[in-house]
Amino acid sequence: YRAIAPQITLRRTMSEQYGVDLLSKSDAQIAEAVICSEVAKVTGDYPSKPGASVPRRFKYVPPAFVAFSTPPLQEMLAAVREMAFAVAENGSPKCAALDDYKIAIGTTTYRMGVGGLHSCEKSVAHVADEDHIIVDRDVASYYPAIILNCELYPKHIGSEFLTVYRSIVQRRLEAKRAKNTVVAESLKITINGSFGKFGSIYSRLYSPDLLIQTTVTGQLSLLMLIESLESHDISVVSANTDGIVIRCPRSKVAEMNDLIKLWEFFTGFETEETRYRALYAKDVNNYIAVKDDGIKTKGLYAEGSLKKHPFTEVCTDAVIAYLTARTPLEKTIADCTDVSKFVSIRGVKGGGQYAGEPLGKVVRWYYSTTSSACITYATNGNKVPKTDGARPLMTLPSKLPEDVDFAWYANEARAILKALGTK
């Protein structure tokens, strides 16, 4: 409850503001309810579901600013123009040709797809040094910016959608400038949450062709920026949906900034910069980035939350301490007295068991020097993954058990370092 208290408060505030009960709605559902009510104020009619008017097959139409200078990327754009998108039974747009499309620019390979652009690196480490900087450039509010800049809207709602959407974006910017956090956050939910409803067959905002126009334009626009930088010997080492990571020679920083400004001018997008001291990546979705003022983690290395089960977080803490301060892995692990950092949690379909004792559908354990067994599925006796040497800890104690296998945690931390591309 404490974790989601701010979201509950925000929903109460928005319910009063818009006269709609939003307490039980997700972010995307809030966005749909708010936008539809605002459209109704403009048109006098509450938007209905699109029904049969939704195209079942369509092609992507690139905006005028999308252009490439090298033959491989020109061929890629021509191929994307000819790809046929089809709406599956569940309402999602599909295109096998796009999902399989890869292109190499410089030393990095990129994979396109309906969901977004991703680079294909595995176990790589990039460290800023005397000759190079590591820069993350994210596009601010990327999908909303594409929708507004390209004037995209669900055809069954009409251009009034853009009138409402643009006013919400402008009101959020005004709220941010006025430091009105509650209003700014509520409008952010509306702006970002609406995109997910473009692909939901149950939504009044459902528009699969609009979804594709947005995601593919985002990918091609990033590839334009990547091509521009690489053609000037400025390496892009990673890309993910709405941003890129650049390894730039210090002698070319001014040139890099000029190229990005030129790209922003032609596309109408804006980027935000974050400097990294180092980037350690298992892959594009799982990494640890060291900033001047802290750490950014994603995927496997992000902190546990209501949306992510924790898994031996002390190992990630040890890795971060080693990468930032060269603290020995064993020291960080031995010095930790927080039992919650040593546990792993996993949902077990049908329930788990240990030594014949039932544990329930969600199991929590630590690694023990005195356990030679594993946790198994109650339904078939098979081993629950990663539970060799585990001992259940269904009731969380106030201090560490005496049989914690510190060596296991140190070995796991070393495996993480290897996966992150460290030597």
PDB file of all heavy atoms in Angstrom, residues 148-170:
ATOM      1  N   LEU A 148       2.299  14.079 -32.505  1.00  0.00           N
ATOM      2  CA  LEU A 148       1.999  15.490 -32.761  1.00  0.00           C
ATOM      3  C   LEU A 148       2.724  16.010 -33.997  1.00  0.00           C
ATOM      4  O   LEU A 148       2.136  16.702 -34.827  1.00  0.00           O
ATOM      5  CB  LEU A 148       2.366  16.328 -31.534  1.00  0.00           C
ATOM      6  CG  LEU A 148       1.491  16.112 -30.294  1.00  0.00           C
ATOM      7  CD1 LEU A 148       2.006  16.929 -29.123  1.00  0.00           C
ATOM      8  CD2 LEU A 148       0.033  16.464 -30.591  1.00  0.00           C
ATOM      9  N   ASN A 149       4.005  15.691 -34.133  1.00  0.00           N
ATOM     10  CA  ASN A 149       4.782  16.205 -35.266  1.00  0.00           C
ATOM     11  C   ASN A 149       4.267  15.671 -36.599  1.00  0.00           C
ATOM     12  O   ASN A 149       4.295  16.376 -37.615  1.00  0.00           O
ATOM     13  CB  ASN A 149       6.261  15.853 -35.107  1.00  0.00           C
ATOM     14  CG  ASN A 149       6.925  16.615 -33.968  1.00  0.00           C
ATOM     15  OD1 ASN A 149       6.274  17.409 -33.299  1.00  0.00           O
ATOM     16  ND2 ASN A 149       8.203  16.371 -33.739  1.00  0.00           N
ATOM     17  N   CYS A 150       3.826  14.423 -36.595  1.00  0.00           N
ATOM     18  CA  CYS A 150       3.332  13.798 -37.830  1.00  0.00           C
ATOM     19  C   CYS A 150       1.810  13.901 -37.957  1.00  0.00           C
ATOM     20  O   CYS A 150       1.238  13.380 -38.919  1.00  0.00           O
ATOM     21  CB  CYS A 150       3.766  12.329 -37.881  1.00  0.00           C
ATOM     22  SG  CYS A 150       5.559  12.091 -37.896  1.00  0.00           S
ATOM     23  N   GLU A 151       1.171  14.529 -36.971  1.00  0.00           N
ATOM     24  CA  GLU A 151      -0.284  14.732 -36.978  1.00  0.00           C
ATOM     25  C   GLU A 151      -1.031  13.409 -37.188  1.00  0.00           C
ATOM     26  O   GLU A 151      -1.858  13.268 -38.090  1.00  0.00           O
ATOM     27  CB  GLU A 151      -0.682  15.773 -38.023  1.00  0.00           C
ATOM     28  CG  GLU A 151      -0.079  17.146 -37.753  1.00  0.00           C
ATOM     29  CD  GLU A 151      -0.648  18.222 -38.666  1.00  0.00           C
ATOM     30  OE1 GLU A 151      -1.101  17.878 -39.779  1.00  0.00           O
ATOM     31  OE2 GLU A 151      -0.619  19.400 -38.266  1.00  0.00           O
ATOM     32  N   LEU A 152      -0.738  12.458 -36.311  1.00  0.00           N
ATOM     33  CA  LEU A 152      -1.369  11.145 -36.372  1.00  0.00           C
ATOM     34  C   LEU A 152      -2.566  11.107 -35.428  1.00  0.00           C
ATOM     35  O   LEU A 152      -2.503  11.623 -34.313  1.00  0.00           O
ATOM     36  CB  LEU A 152      -0.369  10.057 -35.966  1.00  0.00           C
ATOM     37  CG  LEU A 152       0.948  10.011 -36.760  1.00  0.00           C
ATOM     38  CD1 LEU A 152       1.885   8.971 -36.164  1.00  0.00           C
ATOM     39  CD2 LEU A 152       0.679   9.721 -38.228  1.00  0.00           C
ATOM     40  N   TYR A 153      -3.648  10.506 -35.864  1.00  0.00           N
ATOM     41  CA  TYR A 153      -4.826  10.389 -35.008  1.00  0.00           C
ATOM     42  C   TYR A 153      -5.683   9.211 -35.466  1.00  0.00           C
ATOM     43  O   TYR A 153      -5.654   8.822 -36.639  1.00  0.00           O
ATOM     44  CB  TYR A 153      -5.663  11.678 -35.049  1.00  0.00           C
ATOM     45  CG  TYR A 153      -6.089  12.103 -36.441  1.00  0.00           C
ATOM     46  CD1 TYR A 153      -7.252  11.596 -37.029  1.00  0.00           C
ATOM     47  CD2 TYR A 153      -5.330  13.015 -37.181  1.00  0.00           C
ATOM     48  CE1 TYR A 153      -7.645  11.983 -38.293  1.00  0.00           C
ATOM     49  CE2 TYR A 153      -5.711  13.404 -38.451  1.00  0.00           C
ATOM     50  CZ  TYR A 153      -6.881  12.888 -39.005  1.00  0.00           C
ATOM     51  OH  TYR A 153      -7.263  13.268 -40.269  1.00  0.00           O
ATOM     52  N   PRO A 154      -6.437   8.608 -34.519  1.00  0.00           N
ATOM     53  CA  PRO A 154      -7.349   7.523 -34.903  1.00  0.00           C
ATOM     54  C   PRO A 154      -8.402   8.048 -35.878  1.00  0.00           C
ATOM     55  O   PRO A 154      -9.084   9.039 -35.594  1.00  0.00           O
ATOM     56  CB  PRO A 154      -7.990   7.111 -33.566  1.00  0.00           C
ATOM     57  CG  PRO A 154      -7.027   7.589 -32.522  1.00  0.00           C
ATOM     58  CD  PRO A 154      -6.430   8.838 -33.061  1.00  0.00           C
ATOM     59  N   LYS A 155      -8.527   7.405 -37.016  1.00  0.00           N
ATOM     60  CA  LYS A 155      -9.411   7.918 -38.082  1.00  0.00           C
ATOM     61  C   LYS A 155     -10.870   7.992 -37.631  1.00  0.00           C
ATOM     62  O   LYS A 155     -11.608   8.897 -38.038  1.00  0.00           O
ATOM     63  CB  LYS A 155      -9.294   7.023 -39.326  1.00  0.00           C
ATOM     64  CG  LYS A 155      -7.869   6.969 -39.907  1.00  0.00           C
ATOM     65  CD  LYS A 155      -7.379   8.349 -40.321  1.00  0.00           C
ATOM     66  CE  LYS A 155      -6.029   8.281 -41.024  1.00  0.00           C
ATOM     67  NZ  LYS A 155      -4.933   7.841 -40.130  1.00  0.00           N
ATOM     68  N   HIS A 156     -11.318   7.069 -36.780  1.00  0.00           N
ATOM     69  CA  HIS A 156     -12.721   7.072 -36.371  1.00  0.00           C
ATOM     70  C   HIS A 156     -13.020   8.176 -35.362  1.00  0.00           C
ATOM     71  O   HIS A 156     -14.183   8.501 -35.133  1.00  0.00           O
ATOM     72  CB  HIS A 156     -13.110   5.711 -35.794  1.00  0.00           C
ATOM     73  CG  HIS A 156     -12.371   5.355 -34.533  1.00  0.00           C
ATOM     74  ND1 HIS A 156     -11.054   4.945 -34.542  1.00  0.00           N
ATOM     75  CD2 HIS A 156     -12.756   5.350 -33.227  1.00  0.00           C
ATOM     76  CE1 HIS A 156     -10.657   4.700 -33.309  1.00  0.00           C
ATOM     77  NE2 HIS A 156     -11.667   4.936 -32.489  1.00  0.00           N
ATOM     78  N   ILE A 157     -11.979   8.764 -34.767  1.00  0.00           N
ATOM     79  CA  ILE A 157     -12.186   9.888 -33.850  1.00  0.00           C
ATOM     80  C   ILE A 157     -12.043  11.213 -34.581  1.00  0.00           C
ATOM     81  O   ILE A 157     -12.786  12.156 -34.347  1.00  0.00           O
ATOM     82  CB  ILE A 157     -11.204   9.815 -32.664  1.00  0.00           C
ATOM     83  CG1 ILE A 157     -11.500   8.568 -31.819  1.00  0.00           C
ATOM     84  CG2 ILE A 157     -11.279  11.078 -31.798  1.00  0.00           C
ATOM     85  CD1 ILE A 157     -10.570   8.384 -30.641  1.00  0.00           C
ATOM     86  N   GLY A 158     -11.069  11.270 -35.503  1.00  0.00           N
ATOM     87  CA  GLY A 158     -10.874  12.484 -36.272  1.00  0.00           C
ATOM     88  C   GLY A 158      -9.795  13.385 -35.702  1.00  0.00           C
ATOM     89  O   GLY A 158      -9.191  13.090 -34.665  1.00  0.00           O
ATOM     90  N   SER A 159      -9.565  14.498 -36.358  1.00  0.00           N
ATOM     91  CA  SER A 159      -8.484  15.408 -35.982  1.00  0.00           C
ATOM     92  C   SER A 159      -8.717  16.063 -34.623  1.00  0.00           C
ATOM     93  O   SER A 159      -7.792  16.660 -34.057  1.00  0.00           O
ATOM     94  CB  SER A 159      -8.309  16.478 -37.055  1.00  0.00           C
ATOM     95  OG  SER A 159      -9.505  17.222 -37.219  1.00  0.00           O
ATOM     96  N   GLU A 160      -9.951  15.972 -34.090  1.00  0.00           N
ATOM     97  CA  GLU A 160     -10.202  16.508 -32.751  1.00  0.00           C
ATOM     98  C   GLU A 160      -9.319  15.814 -31.710  1.00  0.00           C
ATOM     99  O   GLU A 160      -9.005  16.406 -30.669  1.00  0.00           O
ATOM    100  CB  GLU A 160     -11.678  16.332 -32.372  1.00  0.00           C
ATOM    101  CG  GLU A 160     -12.638  17.229 -33.140  1.00  0.00           C
ATOM    102  CD  GLU A 160     -12.967  16.683 -34.523  1.00  0.00           C
ATOM    103  OE1 GLU A 160     -12.539  15.544 -34.831  1.00  0.00           O
ATOM    104  OE2 GLU A 160     -13.652  17.386 -35.279  1.00  0.00           O
ATOM    105  N   PHE A 161      -8.927  14.582 -32.014  1.00  0.00           N
ATOM    106  CA  PHE A 161      -8.002  13.876 -31.118  1.00  0.00           C
ATOM    107  C   PHE A 161      -6.731  14.691 -30.931  1.00  0.00           C
ATOM    108  O   PHE A 161      -6.219  14.832 -29.811  1.00  0.00           O
ATOM    109  CB  PHE A 161      -7.670  12.492 -31.679  1.00  0.00           C
ATOM    110  CG  PHE A 161      -6.565  11.780 -30.936  1.00  0.00           C
ATOM    111  CD1 PHE A 161      -6.852  10.999 -29.829  1.00  0.00           C
ATOM    112  CD2 PHE A 161      -5.243  11.899 -31.340  1.00  0.00           C
ATOM    113  CE1 PHE A 161      -5.834  10.357 -29.142  1.00  0.00           C
ATOM    114  CE2 PHE A 161      -4.218  11.256 -30.665  1.00  0.00           C
ATOM    115  CZ  PHE A 161      -4.518  10.482 -29.565  1.00  0.00           C
ATOM    116  N   LEU A 162      -6.191  15.222 -32.032  1.00  0.00           N
ATOM    117  CA  LEU A 162      -4.955  15.998 -31.954  1.00  0.00           C
ATOM    118  C   LEU A 162      -5.160  17.293 -31.171  1.00  0.00           C
ATOM    119  O   LEU A 162      -4.271  17.727 -30.431  1.00  0.00           O
ATOM    120  CB  LEU A 162      -4.431  16.316 -33.358  1.00  0.00           C
ATOM    121  CG  LEU A 162      -3.771  15.161 -34.112  1.00  0.00           C
ATOM    122  CD1 LEU A 162      -3.433  15.590 -35.532  1.00  0.00           C
ATOM    123  CD2 LEU A 162      -2.510  14.711 -33.385  1.00  0.00           C
ATOM    124  N   THR A 163      -6.318  17.909 -31.340  1.00  0.00           N
ATOM    125  CA  THR A 163      -6.619  19.126 -30.590  1.00  0.00           C
ATOM    126  C   THR A 163      -6.545  18.860 -29.094  1.00  0.00           C
ATOM    127  O   THR A 163      -5.907  19.604 -28.335  1.00  0.00           O
ATOM    128  CB  THR A 163      -8.022  19.650 -30.959  1.00  0.00           C
ATOM    129  OG1 THR A 163      -8.082  19.888 -32.362  1.00  0.00           O
ATOM    130  CG2 THR A 163      -8.328  20.932 -30.208  1.00  0.00           C
ATOM    131  N   VAL A 164      -7.169  17.762 -28.674  1.00  0.00           N
ATOM    132  CA  VAL A 164      -7.175  17.385 -27.260  1.00  0.00           C
ATOM    133  C   VAL A 164      -5.781  16.978 -26.811  1.00  0.00           C
ATOM    134  O   VAL A 164      -5.291  17.407 -25.763  1.00  0.00           O
ATOM    135  CB  VAL A 164      -8.183  16.247 -27.020  1.00  0.00           C
ATOM    136  CG1 VAL A 164      -8.003  15.640 -25.630  1.00  0.00           C
ATOM    137  CG2 VAL A 164      -9.603  16.750 -27.206  1.00  0.00           C
ATOM    138  N   TYR A 165      -5.122  16.140 -27.596  1.00  0.00           N
ATOM    139  CA  TYR A 165      -3.807  15.610 -27.238  1.00  0.00           C
ATOM    140  C   TYR A 165      -2.789  16.742 -27.098  1.00  0.00           C
ATOM    141  O   TYR A 165      -2.015  16.790 -26.131  1.00  0.00           O
ATOM    142  CB  TYR A 165      -3.358  14.618 -28.309  1.00  0.00           C
ATOM    143  CG  TYR A 165      -2.284  13.649 -27.872  1.00  0.00           C
ATOM    144  CD1 TYR A 165      -2.583  12.605 -26.996  1.00  0.00           C
ATOM    145  CD2 TYR A 165      -0.985  13.758 -28.342  1.00  0.00           C
ATOM    146  CE1 TYR A 165      -1.608  11.695 -26.607  1.00  0.00           C
ATOM    147  CE2 TYR A 165      -0.004  12.862 -27.953  1.00  0.00           C
ATOM    148  CZ  TYR A 165      -0.322  11.837 -27.090  1.00  0.00           C
ATOM    149  OH  TYR A 165       0.641  10.940 -26.702  1.00  0.00           O
ATOM    150  N   ARG A 166      -2.811  17.663 -28.056  1.00  0.00           N
ATOM    151  CA  ARG A 166      -1.866  18.794 -28.019  1.00  0.00           C
ATOM    152  C   ARG A 166      -2.125  19.684 -26.810  1.00  0.00           C
ATOM    153  O   ARG A 166      -1.183  20.146 -26.153  1.00  0.00           O
ATOM    154  CB  ARG A 166      -1.959  19.604 -29.316  1.00  0.00           C
ATOM    155  CG  ARG A 166      -0.915  20.702 -29.429  1.00  0.00           C
ATOM    156  CD  ARG A 166      -0.912  21.343 -30.798  1.00  0.00           C
ATOM    157  NE  ARG A 166      -0.279  20.492 -31.808  1.00  0.00           N
ATOM    158  CZ  ARG A 166      -0.926  19.848 -32.764  1.00  0.00           C
ATOM    159  NH1 ARG A 166      -2.243  19.956 -32.867  1.00  0.00           N
ATOM    160  NH2 ARG A 166      -0.270  19.102 -33.629  1.00  0.00           N
ATOM    161  N   SER A 167      -3.390  19.899 -26.481  1.00  0.00           N
ATOM    162  CA  SER A 167      -3.703  20.738 -25.321  1.00  0.00           C
ATOM    163  C   SER A 167      -3.229  20.080 -24.033  1.00  0.00           C
ATOM    164  O   SER A 167      -2.760  20.764 -23.112  1.00  0.00           O
ATOM    165  CB  SER A 167      -5.212  21.010 -25.256  1.00  0.00           C
ATOM    166  OG  SER A 167      -5.933  19.846 -24.879  1.00  0.00           O
ATOM    167  N   ILE A 168      -3.321  18.758 -23.943  1.00  0.00           N
ATOM    168  CA  ILE A 168      -2.855  18.040 -22.757  1.00  0.00           C
ATOM    169  C   ILE A 168      -1.344  18.161 -22.630  1.00  0.00           C
ATOM    170  O   ILE A 168      -0.809  18.396 -21.538  1.00  0.00           O
ATOM    171  CB  ILE A 168      -3.291  16.564 -22.809  1.00  0.00           C
ATOM    172  CG1 ILE A 168      -4.819  16.465 -22.666  1.00  0.00           C
ATOM    173  CG2 ILE A 168      -2.611  15.749 -21.718  1.00  0.00           C
ATOM    174  CD1 ILE A 168      -5.370  15.070 -22.883  1.00  0.00           C
ATOM    175  N   VAL A 169      -0.629  18.008 -23.749  1.00  0.00           N
ATOM    176  CA  VAL A 169       0.830  18.148 -23.734  1.00  0.00           C
ATOM    177  C   VAL A 169       1.224  19.558 -23.304  1.00  0.00           C
ATOM    178  O   VAL A 169       2.133  19.752 -22.482  1.00  0.00           O
ATOM    179  CB  VAL A 169       1.423  17.817 -25.122  1.00  0.00           C
ATOM    180  CG1 VAL A 169       2.908  18.169 -25.175  1.00  0.00           C
ATOM    181  CG2 VAL A 169       1.225  16.329 -25.438  1.00  0.00           C
ATOM    182  N   GLN A 170       0.572  20.563 -23.850  1.00  0.00           N
ATOM    183  CA  GLN A 170       0.886  21.950 -23.494  1.00  0.00           C
ATOM    184  C   GLN A 170       0.585  22.233 -22.027  1.00  0.00           C
ATOM    185  O   GLN A 170       1.364  22.902 -21.342  1.00  0.00           O
ATOM    186  CB  GLN A 170       0.099  22.897 -24.396  1.00  0.00           C
ATOM    187  CG  GLN A 170       0.569  22.879 -25.855  1.00  0.00           C
ATOM    188  CD  GLN A 170      -0.358  23.642 -26.785  1.00  0.00           C
ATOM    189  OE1 GLN A 170      -1.478  23.995 -26.426  1.00  0.00           O
ATOM    190  NE2 GLN A 170       0.106  23.883 -28.007  1.00  0.00           N
TER     191      GLN A 170
END
